[in-house]
């Protein structure tokens, strides 16, 4: 994260500003003909930090989710897809960091960026309205789907890409196998009702792990019990509610048996929670999960621990984190993508 810039704010539960379902203005500002810059100071791009596959992949996810993308958004998707195919090696691994000088600074690997790349490619292969994007994305997805990461988070992100492909191609064997392996890597809920998480610490994008278990339960064979993923997500929801609003686990995480901190809360947690609740609502038909989506939207609108909006109406950017004194006013790629991803659900659930 870049240098924190914040402003004081006091809780105020009054009317909240309306936010549009789709505002790609800041994402366009952060993008050039190569990819998506990772960091910004306020709304101004910090080119010296370059690009990363992690963010470009998430950019491809949100661009591909647009049901009727503008020409600008479609061009973003094509640019992000080109970046990912350039980052991928012949064995299906991905490089993560590209400098502004267009030189890679790392070797191909299977970290979180591999998983998110497959998530982006799978989403594009399933949802893009452009046939040439769908076809190329599926080629790159197939190459990456043959690999496996030792990291549960990376496997979960890859599994979400497999879910997307299976929605369009139900007999896609490589995706079904990858999704089953992703759910196995995450594991099921623990036995302690006070700590149902499969690991002893909550770290980042935690709801994505529950989401992939829920999605994998729909496999015809070898899927985990649906109740496993739902129990994990319900527990995560319950511990992250405070006075009726979301208060997500902060960037420092939370280890079982230790005191839980309240700040700095990251937008990525809120977006992951919205995604998981949407999947739970779709799979179960239970409207109760729609409440979680609305709480995620409201967190950005200002129904959070500090009572302050977490987006900039002038730029369309998402603020980088929620501190005890208000938002970190920097508007980097990760936070802006989290904002867009969450608000995309307002078309169906508002």
């Amino acid at each position: 994260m870049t240098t924190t810039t914040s402003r004081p704010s006091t809780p105020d539960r009054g009317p909240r500003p309306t936010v549009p379902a789709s505002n790609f203005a800041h994402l366009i500002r952060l993008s050039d003909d190569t990819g998506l810059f990772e960091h910004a100071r306020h709304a101004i791009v910090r080119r010296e930090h370059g690009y990363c596959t992690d963010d470009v992949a998430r950019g491809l996810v949100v661009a591909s989710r647009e049901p009727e993308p503008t020409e600008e958004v479609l061009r973003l998707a094509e640019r992000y897809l080109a970046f990912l195919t350039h980052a991928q090696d012949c064995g299906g691994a991905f490089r993560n960091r590209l400098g502004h000088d267009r030189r890679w600074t790392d070797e191909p690997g299977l970290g979180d960026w591999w998983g998110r790349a497959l998530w982006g490619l799978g989403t594009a292969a399933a949802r893009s309205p452009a046939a040439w994007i769908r076809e190329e994305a599926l080629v790159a997805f197939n190459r990456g789907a043959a690999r496996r990461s030792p990291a549960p988070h990376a496997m979960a992100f890859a599994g979400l890409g497999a879910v997307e492909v299976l929605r369009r191609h139900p007999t896609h064997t490589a995706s079904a196998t990858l999704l089953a392996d992703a759910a196995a890597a995450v594991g099921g809920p623990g036995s302690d009702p006070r700590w149902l998480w499969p690991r002893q610490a909550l770290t980042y994008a935690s709801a994505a792990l529950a989401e992939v278990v829920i999605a994998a339960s729909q496999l015809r064979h070898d899927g985990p019990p649906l109740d496993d993923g739902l129990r994990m997500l319900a527990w995560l929801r319950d511990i992250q509610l405070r006075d009726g609003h979301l208060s997500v686990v902060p960037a420092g995480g939370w280890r079982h048996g230790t005191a839980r901190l309240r700040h700095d809360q990251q937008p990525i947690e809120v977006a992951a929670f919205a995604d998981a609740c949407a999947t739970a609502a779709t799979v179960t038909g239970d409207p109760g999960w729609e409440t979680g989506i609305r709480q995620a939207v409201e967190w950005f609108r200002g129904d959070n621990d500090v009572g302050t909006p977490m987006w900039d109406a002038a730029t369309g950017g998402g603020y980088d984190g929620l501190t005890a004194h208000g938002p970190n006013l920097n508007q980097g790629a990760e936070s802006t993508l989290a904002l867009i991803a969450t608000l995309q659900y307002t078309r169906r659930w508002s």
Side-chain angles (χ1 to χ4, degrees), residues 170-187:
T171 61
H172 196 270
T173 303
S175 292
T177 303
L178 176 58
L179 179 54
D181 289 348
V186 171

Side-chain angles (χ1 to χ4, degrees), residues 206-227:
S206 297
L209 277 68
E211 182 184 4
V212 83
V213 175
I214 293 169
S217 73
Q218 303 304 292
L219 290 172
R220 291 190 181 91
H221 306 290
D222 300 326
L226 173 59
D227 190 56

